Amino acid sequence: MQKITFYIYHYFFLLLLIVIGLPVYAEDSVSDTFNITRQSKILPVTQTCAGDPWQHIVWVHVHDNEETARQAALLTLNQIKQGCLVDFRHGGSREISIQTAEVSYQFDPNRIFTETGRNNALKCRRGNCAGAREELGQEVRSFLDQYLIHVKLIVALHNNHPRGLSIRNYLPGGSMAQAISQVAVSPDKDPHDFFYVTSRQAFDFLSSRDFNVVLQNNQDVHDDGSLSVWAARQQIDYINAEGGTGNLISQMAMLAAVQAYMQQYYY
Ligand SMILES: [Zn+2]
């Protein structure tokens, strides 16, 4: 019986996904739900807005292969009917590759938001690599100025794989335990579904609601160029809602908690 209930729930959710998700896929047609703008030079930025933008909040999705996270964000924005998702779309891969007659290089788009991180992340194979580094730097700075510098809260979205990252990696002795201030582990949640946050306020709010949460140590964190490092330097509240690949329902539940957080502190 439980199994049948699960399947009914599963199919109901799929139906829901198709019905409310339709405008997401019908992006090239005129949509009442989303207002989509694209620009593409080095960073293939797509901004998808449902209703009016929030003045102080933006949602960000940088890894194009993390489709569950993108769908969770778009479905949630469609329900809220307010706010914008900024994401990078470039053929579905994690890394962004640039190949022209002059230069060939690639980089992880979540390692470019500080200069040190960017210089380490850029893998240049051929051509004018110094020029590429300079051009990428300019583009990142204008991206940050246009979309992020003025906000008070960044909601980032990521996915991990079954053998990849989980909350356990952040516990003492784990591979990601350096520069972490606190970790809250929920016995009720999939270890792959966790928040990574930069403020005590977000940590307390989300951990009190029985989620897995990691609090970054903003003083000691390694400058790897990720958005959480940049946000901490700017004193912008940052919440990464990270879910296991395919965990759409639980990632949406996480975003519902983020929405409650937004209502409490940012409305
Ligand atoms: Zn990611």
Side-chain angles (χ1 to χ4, degrees):
M1 189 60 198
Q2 269 189 341
K3 204 169 181 183
I4 291 169
T5 311
F6 172 77
Y7 280 123
I8 289 171
Y9 181 63
H10 191 74
Y11 283 114
F12 171 75
F13 191 81
L14 276 179
L15 186 66
L16 194 72
L17 199 72
I18 290 163
V19 171
I20 63 177
L22 267 178
V24 176
Y25 300 107
E27 286 171 358
D28 292 332
S29 63
V30 176
S31 163
D32 294 337
T33 309
F34 287 121
N35 175 20
I36 298 166
T37 53
R38 288 200 174 97
Q39 64 180 60
S40 188
K41 197 179 167 194
I42 298 171
L43 297 178
V45 182
T46 296
Q47 180 176 246
T48 307
C49 297
D52 297 328
W54 277 288
Q55 203 179 348
H56 302 302
I57 305 170
V58 67
W59 296 30
V60 181
H61 178 271
V62 297
H63 288 140
D64 199 11
N65 60 328
E66 297 174 1
E67 192 58 31
T68 305
R70 174 183 285 129
Q71 291 306 316
L74 291 175
L75 290 167
T76 303
L77 286 178
N78 196 24
Q79 288 170 355
I80 301 173
K81 302 241 179 291
Q82 188 181 2
C84 296
L85 173 71
V86 173
D87 74 336
F88 295 156
R89 300 192 189 185
H90 50 93
S93 59
R94 179 185 176 89
E95 299 209 331
I96 294 176
S97 294
I98 305 295
Q99 295 192 46
T100 68
E102 291 79 35
V103 71
S104 169
Y105 64 96
Q106 70 183 73
F107 54 88
D108 181 327
N110 198 30
R111 295 289 179 271
I112 58 172
F113 297 107
T114 66
E115 190 176 357
T116 302
R118 200 158 53 237
N119 289 339
N120 291 329
L122 197 146
K123 292 172 273 186
C124 189
R125 288 182 295 271
R126 169 179 63 75
N128 182 1
C129 295
R133 197 170 294 121
E134 179 59 29
E135 196 176 27
L136 177 62
Q138 283 175 13
E139 183 133 342
V140 170
R141 283 188 290 274
S142 69
F143 169 79
L144 293 170
D145 285 348
Q146 184 173 352
Y147 294 102
L148 301 183
I149 196 76
H150 58 279
V151 306
K152 293 180 178 168
L153 171 65
I154 293 170
V155 181
L157 298 120
H158 287 274
N159 290 130
N160 55 65
H161 291 277
R163 290 186 183 174
L165 215 53
S166 82
I167 190 76
R168 295 190 189 113
N169 293 80
Y170 296 93
L171 291 168
S175 62
M176 304 292 284
Q178 300 84 10
I180 298 303
S181 286
Q182 202 171 339
V183 182
V185 180
S186 165
D188 306 319
K189 296 290 193 296
D190 184 327
H192 290 278
D193 299 333
F194 64 90
F195 290 104
Y196 182 99
V197 304
T198 61
S199 74
R200 169 67 57 186
Q201 174 180 279
F203 181 87
D204 290 345
F205 185 94
L206 296 165
S207 60
S208 73
R209 280 157 181 78
D210 197 29
F211 288 98
N212 297 317
V213 194
V214 180
L215 176 59
Q216 173 174 284
N217 183 325
N218 294 333
Q219 277 70 49
D220 296 344
V221 68
H222 169 61
D223 179 5
D224 64 356
S226 60
L227 193 54
S228 69
V229 172
W230 179 83
R233 285 186 185 173
Q234 302 297 325
Q235 298 186 309
I236 295 171
D237 199 1
Y238 169 98
I239 298 175
N240 165 20
E242 171 137 358
T245 298
N247 291 359
L248 182 61
I249 293 170
S250 51
Q251 200 163 12
M252 288 184 72
M254 293 169 76
L255 293 179
V258 172
Q259 191 190 352
Y261 177 79
M262 286 158 40
Q263 281 168 338
Q264 178 143 339
Y265 292 105
Y266 291 101
Y267 274 18

